[in-house]
Amino acid sequence: MTQKIFIKTFGCQMNEYDSNRIYDTVKKIGFEKTDTYENANCYLLNTCHIRDKAKEKVYHEIGRVKKTFRSKQKPLVIIAGCVAQAENQEMLRREPYIDLVVGPQSYHKINDAILNHLQKKKKIEETEFDAITKFEYFSKIKNNAGNVSSFLTIQEGCDKFCHFCVVPYTRGPEYSRPFQEIIDEAKYLSEKGSKEIILLGQNVNAYSEGKNRLSNLIMEIEKIKDIKRIRYTTSHPKDMTEDLIDVYKSSQKLMPLVHLPVQSGSDKILKLMNRKHTIKDYFYIFEKLKKINSNIEFSSDFIISYPGELEEDFNNTLSLIEKINFINSYSFIFSPRPGTVAADLDLIEKNISVERLEKVQNKLYENQINRNRLFKNQIIDVLVENLTDDKTHTFGKSEHMTSVIFNGNKEHIGKIVPVKIKEFNRTTLFGELVKDLSKKVA
Ligand code: SAM
Ligand code: SF4
Ligand code: F3S
């Protein structure tokens, strides 16, 4: 009898990639994916530890599962991801409903852990750092995501130790996957129908394997005929090297949106955060890329109210947002994380932080809507991802990653089509397919 597994994913794109690879892995021992957790035999929570309350969220979710399964056979409950790594044994002690705890570097052991548990009913915790073995194992199992736009993890972990961040502790040291293994995975994804590859890493532009860097990888993936678009995320300004900047001159497929988190507009705060880059460095990258292609836009992550942030530092962040004209960005109030250098620093008052966050978000939203307004009555290229939920329209992404909804049909899925933009809101462009140009569909 096939068993059904349901995975709920929190956190970053790397967790999404991992969840898909877990589905590919557990298939080998007879588990099939289900989208409704109520009929699952196995409930896996892929967790994120980046901000406060991450742990509580997990116990809350488990409480919900417990309730649903009160009168049915209990599913196998697995906690994976960064909270699993950070909390390990403690989770099994605190919540006996949990059966297995598996950290992000141990997914190659998940089948053995499940089988072992099913046979011996033993609670198991696997949280060793072993990225090499994990990726070696994954490379033997095909990535069957097959989405129009697919994630491909090329690098994992972080050696930078920004003072606010748990990633170096939950994902371990930087590790770059072998070049050829990545190319093979990209080719396979293309054979399965992917048209866009999003290269992933906690520090994706720190990718380094022998002489190969992210720039070589992009140019090699560019040779795969049916891959039409390439993106990468998340980058660190310090690793935005000249060869990577130059790829924007030579690549035809690299998209013109650079997600380059800056965190703060104040050099003082960047230093306190241990970011290892200055605002001047950031402008250098910005200006160089804009010179290569003025259509390139920037998006970023911001941490608001980092301990020590004065009004003046905060105003520098606002003015940076104005100067760079960031779009599609994320902003969060600083959240102290256990075990990090900034864990015990004095916090800025909550009402000040909320006010600052609101100001930053309003500025970012304003940029986004102004940017979208420019597209009204313009014809833009859209990579079509799927039908909308009600099946009446199609949706896809612009070159700058903005969602576009238009009157296409399922024939258009996986193609790049011209769409004339008629309306817009902050997050989405709405348009009509340009029929007489559709012969040019890629
Ligand atoms: N490696 C990327 C970089 O260097 O910018 C960031 C990866 S991190 C998974 C994603 C984002 O989470 C960060 O850019 C930061 O803005 C946010 N973040 C990390 N730790 C945080 C904390 N303690 N409080 C609030 N936001 C945090
Ligand atoms: Fe976290 Fe990114 Fe800093 Fe690494 S470089 S510690 S992932 S914010
Ligand atoms: Fe969260 Fe871990 Fe990603 S802490 S952001 S899931 S690397």
Side-chain angles (χ1 to χ4, degrees):
M1 193 189 77
T2 47
Q3 305 271 318
K4 291 199 167 63
I5 177 169
F6 174 89
I7 303 184
K8 181 159 184 170
T9 310
F10 294 108
C12 62
Q13 291 106 326
M14 301 202 53
N15 262 12
E16 279 185 49
Y17 175 85
D18 287 345
S19 290
N20 280 327
R21 302 301 275 135
I22 293 171
Y23 278 131
D24 293 335
T25 305
V26 295
K27 222 173 160 177
K28 299 253 168 234
I29 54 166
F31 278 90
E32 234 171 47
K33 173 180 177 172
T34 173
D35 292 327
T36 43
Y37 83 94
E38 293 88 344
N39 65 11
N41 312 94
C42 176
Y43 184 95
L44 188 148
L45 210 54
N46 196 358
T47 59
C48 172
H49 200 48
I50 204 82
R51 276 173 291 272
D52 199 14
K53 301 203 177 77
K55 212 169 37 172
E56 298 325 308
K57 225 179 190 170
V58 174
Y59 294 114
H60 178 80
E61 283 293 322
I62 299 301
R64 216 165 53 93
V65 178
K66 258 182 176 172
K67 234 186 218 168
T68 309
F69 284 85
R70 208 166 20 204
S71 53
K72 296 197 255 180
Q73 193 189 341
K74 171 192 179 307
L76 173 70
V77 174
I78 307 178
I79 308 298
C82 292
V83 178
Q85 186 65 46
E87 293 291 308
N88 49 63
Q89 290 283 350
E90 175 56 28
M91 304 202 90
L92 294 176
R93 273 194 289 272
R94 174 162 162 190
E95 178 50 91
Y97 203 72
I98 299 172
D99 298 302
L100 306 177
V101 174
V102 187
Q105 305 289 9
S106 301
Y107 296 148
H108 53 294
K109 297 182 191 158
I110 203 162
N111 283 355
D112 283 348
I114 292 175
L115 293 174
N116 204 337
H117 177 79
L118 292 178
Q119 282 156 13
K120 300 186 188 148
K121 291 284 162 223
K122 205 173 136 222
K123 304 259 169 188
I124 297 170
E125 174 258 288
E126 293 281 6
T127 48
E128 260 175 64
F129 284 133
D130 195 359
I132 302 180
T133 322
K134 177 178 93 168
F135 283 113
E136 257 173 29
Y137 182 85
F138 273 174
S139 70
K140 292 186 201 111
I141 295 171
K142 299 284 188 213
N143 181 341
N144 283 312
N147 299 324
V148 170
S149 173
S150 291
F151 293 134
L152 202 176
T153 294
I154 65 164
Q155 180 276 346
E156 178 134 36
C158 179
D159 295 337
K160 297 208 168 49
F161 291 91
C162 298
H163 286 171
F164 52 81
C165 185
V166 288
V167 170
Y169 310 97
T170 61
R171 293 277 176 165
E174 279 179 15
Y175 165 75
S176 295
R177 291 179 66 190
F179 190 81
Q180 195 52 46
E181 197 178 287
I182 298 167
I183 301 300
D184 291 346
E185 192 168 328
K187 283 184 181 155
Y188 187 76
L189 285 168
S190 160
E191 282 163 24
K192 297 290 282 184
S194 296
K195 305 293 172 191
E196 174 176 87
I197 298 280
I198 307 182
L199 302 171
L200 299 180
Q202 270 90 21
N203 274 287
V204 73
N205 57 344
Y207 178 82
S208 168
E209 197 251 358
K211 282 193 199 132
N212 292 312
R213 298 286 176 273
L214 178 59
S215 54
N216 310 81
L217 204 46
I218 290 168
M219 292 317 288
E220 198 59 28
I221 292 176
E222 175 126 351
K223 291 182 191 156
I224 305 172
K225 190 170 142 276
D226 288 335
I227 298 295
K228 305 291 182 198
R229 290 181 169 184
I230 305 172
R231 304 181 190 271
Y232 61 88
T233 196
T234 295
S235 317
H236 191 288
K238 194 167 178 286
D239 294 313
M240 209 66 204
T241 47
E242 297 294 331
D243 58 316
L244 184 55
I245 292 175
D246 282 345
V247 167
Y248 285 87
K249 288 183 197 157
S250 38
S251 172
Q252 303 297 312
K253 296 184 179 175
L254 187 56
M255 289 296 100
L257 178 72
V258 182
H259 184 66
L260 191 63
V262 64
Q263 313 297 354
S264 166
S266 152
D267 277 338
K268 181 194 98 186
I269 296 298
L270 291 179
K271 197 149 195 253
L272 290 173
M273 288 175 166
N274 192 30
R275 280 292 288 182
K276 306 183 177 86
H277 65 84
T278 61
I279 296 302
K280 194 167 160 226
D281 300 333
Y282 200 91
F283 268 110
Y284 174 82
I285 300 162
F286 173 73
E287 275 155 16
K288 270 207 120 164
L289 284 172
K290 277 290 204 192
K291 218 178 253 171
I292 291 171
N293 176 2
S294 59
N295 188 31
I296 291 177
E297 300 286 351
F298 278 61
S299 60
S300 180
D301 296 344
F302 296 92
I303 294 184
I304 310 305
S305 285
Y306 188 76
E309 183 185 85
L310 301 177
E311 204 57 27
E312 181 193 337
D313 302 308
F314 174 68
N315 286 336
N316 286 337
T317 302
L318 286 180
S319 102
L320 183 73
I321 294 174
E322 191 143 332
K323 284 185 195 141
I324 303 272
N325 200 10
F326 288 107
I327 57 167
N328 308 355
S329 301
Y330 301 93
S331 48
F332 298 97
I333 294 172
F334 166 70
S335 169
R337 309 309 293 127
T340 61
V341 173
D344 300 318
L345 299 178
D346 288 342
L347 295 181
I348 291 175
E349 261 175 65
K350 189 161 178 210
N351 59 337
I352 297 180
S353 301
V354 171
E355 208 176 284
R356 286 181 185 171
L357 181 70
E358 227 172 78
K359 276 190 189 160
V360 159
Q361 290 188 335
N362 286 343
K363 192 103 213 96
L364 289 167
Y365 292 169
E366 196 183 304
N367 284 356
Q368 221 166 327
I369 203 130
N370 287 340
R371 171 81 199 163
N372 285 352
R373 185 173 291 116
L374 295 178
F375 290 113
K376 189 156 176 177
N377 294 324
Q378 301 289 317
I379 295 172
I380 62 168
D381 282 345
V382 177
L383 173 58
V384 188
E385 292 187 15
N386 212 336
L387 296 175
T388 50
D389 284 345
D390 64 4
K391 313 268 184 260
T392 60
H393 287 73
T394 34
F395 71 89
K397 293 273 166 37
S398 74
E399 291 190 336
H400 294 99
M401 241 351 213
T402 305
S403 295
V404 184
I405 295 181
F406 70 101
N407 58 336
N409 57 49
K410 63 176 193 297
E411 311 282 295
H412 297 115
I413 297 171
K415 297 190 171 125
I416 294 178
V417 298
V419 174
K420 183 161 185 180
I421 302 306
K422 299 283 185 179
E423 282 308 327
F424 62 92
N425 62 25
R426 182 174 64 78
T427 55
T428 312
L429 301 168
F430 303 89
E432 280 174 14
L433 184 71
V434 182
K435 296 234 167 70
D436 45 353
L437 281 180
S438 57
K439 288 192 198 80
K440 276 177 53 190
V441 162

